[in-house]
Amino acid sequence: MPENPTLRLAVVQSTMCDDPTNAALLRQSGAEIRGFLRQAAEGGARLVHFTEGAICFPSKHVMSELGPDEVGAADWTKADWTVWQEELDRIAALAGELGIWAVIPSVHRLPAPERPHNSMYVVSDQGKVVARYDERMLSTTKVTWMYTPGKQPVTFDVDGFRFGLALGLDVLFPELFTEYDQLGADGVLVSYATNGVSHHEHVAVQARGSAVNNTCWISFAVPANPTGGLRSGVSDPRGEWVAQAPADGSPAVVLTDLHHAETTAIGREFRRRTRERVS
């Protein structure tokens, strides 16, 4: 392994489907994701990072057992799980063909009557799912009506880099990023979805703050949403954007090289020693 490894990372800003009952939309999302995988591989990427709900980000209105006009408990029997899984399997297989790692957020089904997890799948360059992270800090809507929260941090290693995973509102909780710092993560892949007309600019500020506070890289993947006030990008350990998708919210993939910086190791060692001293 090189003394100072470099890794080319691709972060994607993709179209978001919100209806898992619609097989055609699920297949359309899967096709777009595979297209971005190919683009990333052509650009030399070793790891590709996608937004929350990359294949589908189920709408609380679509899934409500009370119908679209009233939010209630999600009826997950509505979802076309067969097509959903087929698309995930096809994405994983293509990653193996291309020899590229991919992080694909999707819903992870649990045995009934348990609600599913909102998850991120880590697919290796061999086309195998090697890890899964489940969102821990669920919103009120998610925890009340839709999902089962996760419990554990998850890290994985690629070419000398260690990455942690954060999903949805996890981004707003600094202690999760501190936890990944203590686990030796060089970067955290943050997937966050917005839909409708809303502004979430503060979320990007929070992500960049976590980069600075933990001297780590942050990859921030969001949907193609021109009204959301966010765009996908990568922040370096100083909290500066080194790559960003188009500001107009159009679908795109952007690439940048991550480097092992001396300041990262120094910052991590300083925090380790300080925590030991005050504990």
Side-chain angles (χ1 to χ4, degrees):
M1 182 184 300
E3 184 177 348
N4 296 301
T6 297
L7 180 142
R8 180 157 290 185
L9 169 69
V11 60
V12 177
Q13 184 166 278
S14 56
T15 307
M16 190 172 68
C17 153
D18 68 359
D19 185 356
T21 72
N22 189 320
L25 289 178
L26 293 173
R27 295 199 185 283
Q28 185 175 315
S29 289
E32 183 181 68
I33 290 170
R34 291 189 292 275
F36 281 128
L37 275 178
R38 294 186 180 94
Q39 287 185 44
E42 290 169 1
R46 281 288 289 144
L47 171 63
V48 191
H49 172 212
F50 290 88
T51 181
E52 179 179 12
I55 301 175
C56 183
F57 186 59
S59 164
K60 60 187 177 183
H61 297 286
V62 171
M63 301 310 296
S64 174
E65 66 181 8
L66 303 177
D69 296 326
E70 184 176 353
V71 176
D75 178 4
W76 288 101
T77 65
K78 295 180 180 181
D80 193 329
W81 290 106
T82 299
V83 172
W84 209 340
Q85 186 62 47
E86 286 175 355
E87 291 306 307
L88 180 62
D89 291 344
R90 293 178 68 188
I91 293 164
L94 180 60
E97 292 173 19
L98 296 172
I100 192 170
W101 287 72
V103 172
I104 313 292
S106 188
V107 175
H108 180 75
R109 192 177 189 181
L110 294 175
E114 293 294 318
R115 295 174 183 164
H117 290 304
N118 188 33
S119 303
M120 303 170 80
Y121 291 101
V122 179
V123 179
S124 76
D125 56 1
Q126 303 299 306
K128 305 296 183 183
V129 174
V130 295
R132 191 192 80 238
Y133 173 76
D134 305 321
E135 183 184 4
R136 290 182 276 174
M137 301 302 190
L138 299 178
S139 68
T140 300
T141 295
K142 285 178 176 177
V143 76
T144 303
W145 305 120
M146 301 188 75
Y147 298 110
T148 297
K151 297 180 179 179
Q152 301 295 332
V154 171
T155 64
F156 67 101
D157 297 337
V158 181
D159 297 352
F161 285 79
R162 175 164 294 176
F163 295 98
L165 298 168
L167 183 60
L169 291 190
D170 287 343
V171 68
L172 301 182
F173 293 85
E175 61 269 29
L176 301 189
F177 293 84
T178 300
E179 183 178 35
Y180 281 126
D181 179 46
Q182 294 172 319
L183 291 171
D186 301 291
V188 180
L189 309 183
V190 179
S191 296
Y192 180 84
T194 63
N195 53 20
V197 180
S198 55
H199 295 282
H200 298 256
E201 291 89 343
H202 66 285
V203 177
V205 175
Q206 191 91 15
R208 291 171 62 199
S210 292
V212 176
N213 290 338
N214 299 284
T215 325
C216 70
W217 298 87
I218 294 288
S219 180
F220 185 61
V222 297
N225 178 6
T227 64
L230 295 174
R231 51 177 164 158
S232 294
V234 179
S235 169
D236 69 13
R238 297 172 182 250
E240 298 176 357
W241 293 117
V242 294
Q244 283 190 285
D248 65 2
S250 57
V253 57
V254 293
L255 299 96
T256 193
D257 291 330
L258 310 189
H259 308 276
H260 265 304
E262 184 179 0
T263 53
T264 304
I266 292 173
R268 181 173 296 149
E269 180 64 15
F270 165 75
R271 288 189 296 276
R272 182 187 68 79
R273 290 181 178 178
T274 301
R275 287 174 181 132
E276 289 176 351
R277 186 172 66 248
V278 302
S279 62

